[in-house]
């Protein structure tokens, strides 16, 4: 039998390794190792779950990339991009106003804004798509989407009638809100792809749960929570009768409350992991493969709760599924909860911290890929 006939077909479908490698780089490194082992045929499908990396994943799967320049989370110019295939546009918080774009990595929990995400949405609208997918992960701000709404034509005024910039610091200063005429939304499908289920405010809300990750002190969290509650009440008084309902909706707290603003605009909410698996045609791509490799930076309890690798495993059928991660916090006896036949971690191959070392991470993934390949030949 020839190598071409005997070759195992492997679908490599990972998420990013946050801090070190994009999903595409993870897939490339694993594929290089697998191919070096011999009779292995690789198909690469870098994935995202609606967070950072969503645009890159869509582009890798065949979408076109459209570049634009927006001021970042603190108004400095940022080279951003959206993905577009003439029908669907994918717009991402992380590459427009995300944590990774803060100057010198300095966290600004009160002053970072979602306005630039709104400007990217406006750019997407100019392309006349049938739908826009809003990828909300990785935000630097906790402004309830005030900045995004400002970019889309809303005005928020203080007690003196002066327009306010959209940021967390100004939430409590909003005295009145003026809605925008948004005729372009009439025939537009807006989709929030997220697996965050937090409401906007309260002990499980955006400030309390995600604020500290963005640099918010205990006092900042309290101020942001009160500011968001005030912001909702002003919107409700301004004629947005469903504002209070949307604020309590699961997912309203995603991306510092951008999820709330998207719901206010009529967006529907879907599971980010499953939506992107559908968008990138995972079910078709898996059919011709014998083995599926998936993974992310850390495989842990959150993974089991429905993050991307769990969704990949659930939809892979009876074929063997191999997990690859920077680290795994799951005991081996729990691999079966995700139908994983084996989990490889970078931490098992080095004493060094690979989480912020792209070169080391890629080298170890190539080594792991070769080991997997040798077991398949």
């Amino acid at each position: 039998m020839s190598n071409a006939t005997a070759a195992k077909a492997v679908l490599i479908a990972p998420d990013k390794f946050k801090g070190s490698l994009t999903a595409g780089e993870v897939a490339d490194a694993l594929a290089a190792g697998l191919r070096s082992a011999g009779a292995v045929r690789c198909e690469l499908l870098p994935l995202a779950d609606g967070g950072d990396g969503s645009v890159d994943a869509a582009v890798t799967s065949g979408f076109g990339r459209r570049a634009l320049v927006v001021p970042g989370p603190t108004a400095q110019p940022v080279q951003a991009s959206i993905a577009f295939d003439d029908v669907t546009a994918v717009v991402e918080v992380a590459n427009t106003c995300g944590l990774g774009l803060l100057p010198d990595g300095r966290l600004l929990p009160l002053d970072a804004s979602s306005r630039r995400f709104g400007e990217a949405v406006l750019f997407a609208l100019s392309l006349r798509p049938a739908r826009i997918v809003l990828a909300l992960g990785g935000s630097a701000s906790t402004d309830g989407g005030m900045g995004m709404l400002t970019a889309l034509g809303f005005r928020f005024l203080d007690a003196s009638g002066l327009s306010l910039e959209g940021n967390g610091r100004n939430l409590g200063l909003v005295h009145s809100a003026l809605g925008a005429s948004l005729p372009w939304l009439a025939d537009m499908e807006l989709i929030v792809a997220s697996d965050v289920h937090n409401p906007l405010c309260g002990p499980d809300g955006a400030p309390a749960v995600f604020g500290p990750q963005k640099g918010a002190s205990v006092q900042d969290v309290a101020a942001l929570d009160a500011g968001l509650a005030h912001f909702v009440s002003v919107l409700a008084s301004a004629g947005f009768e469903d504002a209070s309902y949307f604020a309590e909706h699961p997912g309203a707290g995603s991306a510092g409350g951008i999820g709330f603003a998207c719901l206010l605009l009529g967006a529907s909410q879907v599971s980010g992991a499953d939506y992107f698996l559908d968008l990138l045609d995972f079910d078709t791509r898996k059919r011709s493969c014998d083995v599926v490799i998936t993974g992310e930076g850390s495989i842990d309890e959150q993974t089991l709760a429905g993050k991307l690798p769990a969704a990949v495993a659930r939809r892979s059928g009876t074929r063997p599924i191999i997990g690859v991660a920077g680290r795994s916090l799951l005991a081996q006896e729990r691999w079966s909860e995700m139908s994983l036949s084996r989990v490889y971690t970078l931490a098992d191959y080095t004493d060094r911290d690979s989480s912020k070392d792209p070169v080391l991470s890629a080298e170890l993934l190539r080594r792991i890929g070769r080991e997997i390949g040798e077991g398949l030949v």
Side-chain angles (χ1 to χ4, degrees), residues 152-343:
L152 297 177
F154 283 66
R155 291 185 65 205
F156 300 101
L157 311 178
D158 65 12
S160 301
L162 298 177
S163 293
L164 292 165
E165 292 185 15
N167 58 42
R169 189 182 298 278
N170 286 339
L171 287 166
L173 300 178
V174 178
H175 183 264
S176 59
L178 302 175
S181 174
L182 306 173
W184 31 264
L185 283 181
D187 300 315
M188 177 73 59
E189 184 181 11
L190 283 180
I191 297 173
V192 172
S194 172
D195 290 304
V196 170
H197 303 296
N198 302 75
L200 184 62
C201 305
D204 296 320
V209 175
F210 305 112
Q213 302 169 16
K214 303 175 186 183
S217 66
V218 173
Q219 294 79 10
D220 292 337
V221 167
L224 289 166
D225 196 66
L228 287 170
H230 172 75
F231 183 56
V232 172
S233 69
V234 171
L235 283 166
S237 299
F240 295 91
E241 299 174 357
D242 292 330
S244 296
Y245 168 77
F246 287 136
E248 296 176 3
H249 194 280
S254 59
I258 297 176
F260 162 73
C262 292
L263 292 171
L264 204 69
L265 294 175
S268 60
Q269 198 167 11
V270 299
S271 161
D274 280 308
Y275 186 84
F276 271 83
L277 286 175
D278 290 338
L279 186 70
L280 306 181
D281 204 18
F282 173 80
D283 288 344
T284 299
R285 306 282 285 274
K286 76 181 181 187
R287 287 175 192 157
S288 60
C289 293
D290 303 302
V291 178
V292 174
I293 299 176
T294 188
E296 61 181 344
S298 177
I299 291 180
D300 49 35
E301 293 288 344
Q302 287 188 337
T303 309
L304 291 177
K307 291 182 71 178
L308 190 70
V312 169
R314 173 169 45 81
R315 292 173 59 158
S316 292
T318 58
R319 53 185 55 78
I321 307 159
I322 297 171
V324 178
R327 63 174 186 169
S328 173
L329 302 182
L330 291 181
Q332 183 172 345
E333 57 267 22
R334 302 195 65 191
W335 293 354
S336 61
E337 295 180 40
M338 279 177 56
S339 301
L340 298 176
S341 58
R342 177 74 187 270
V343 174

Side-chain angles (χ1 to χ4, degrees), residues 12 19 35 37 57 107 111 114 117 132 136 147 163 195 242 259-260 286 299 331 343 363 368:
I12 305 173
R35 288 166 179 150
L107 300 175
D111 296 311
S114 63
F117 178 66
I132 297 179
L136 301 190
S163 293
D195 290 304
D242 292 330
F260 162 73
K286 76 181 181 187
I299 291 180
V343 174
E363 175 188 332
I368 289 170

Side-chain angles (χ1 to χ4, degrees), residues 127-155:
L127 303 175
R128 299 292 188 266
R131 72 183 60 86
I132 297 179
V133 179
L134 306 163
L136 301 190
S139 70
S141 62
T142 307
D143 68 355
M146 180 182 173
M148 181 192 82
L149 293 172
T150 301
L152 297 177
F154 283 66
R155 291 185 65 205

Side-chain angles (χ1 to χ4, degrees), residues 10-83:
V10 179
L11 177 62
I12 305 173
D15 199 350
K16 63 190 173 298
F17 279 28
K18 195 168 186 177
S20 61
L21 297 175
T22 66
E25 290 167 339
V26 172
D28 286 341
L30 285 169
L34 280 156
R35 288 166 179 150
S36 70
V40 178
R41 178 170 60 82
C42 300
E43 179 162 3
L44 280 59
L45 185 62
L47 295 171
D49 60 4
D52 46 328
S54 296
V55 167
D56 287 341
V59 169
T60 300
S61 74
F63 280 57
R65 186 186 297 276
R66 301 295 184 95
L68 69 154
V69 176
V70 296
T74 56
Q76 83 283 16
V78 166
Q79 182 72 46
S81 62
I82 70 167

Side-chain angles (χ1 to χ4, degrees), residues 328-374:
S328 173
L329 302 182
L330 291 181
Q332 183 172 345
E333 57 267 22
R334 302 195 65 191
W335 293 354
S336 61
E337 295 180 40
M338 279 177 56
S339 301
L340 298 176
S341 58
R342 177 74 187 270
V343 174
Y344 293 83
T345 71
L346 306 191
D348 290 335
Y349 291 79
T350 182
D351 293 328
R352 295 158 58 190
D353 180 8
S354 65
S355 64
K356 293 180 173 58
D357 190 334
V359 174
L360 176 60
S361 294
E363 175 188 332
L364 296 175
L365 285 169
R366 287 190 291 271
R367 179 176 168 185
I368 289 170
R370 182 174 181 85
E371 287 192 21
I372 294 172
E374 289 171 346

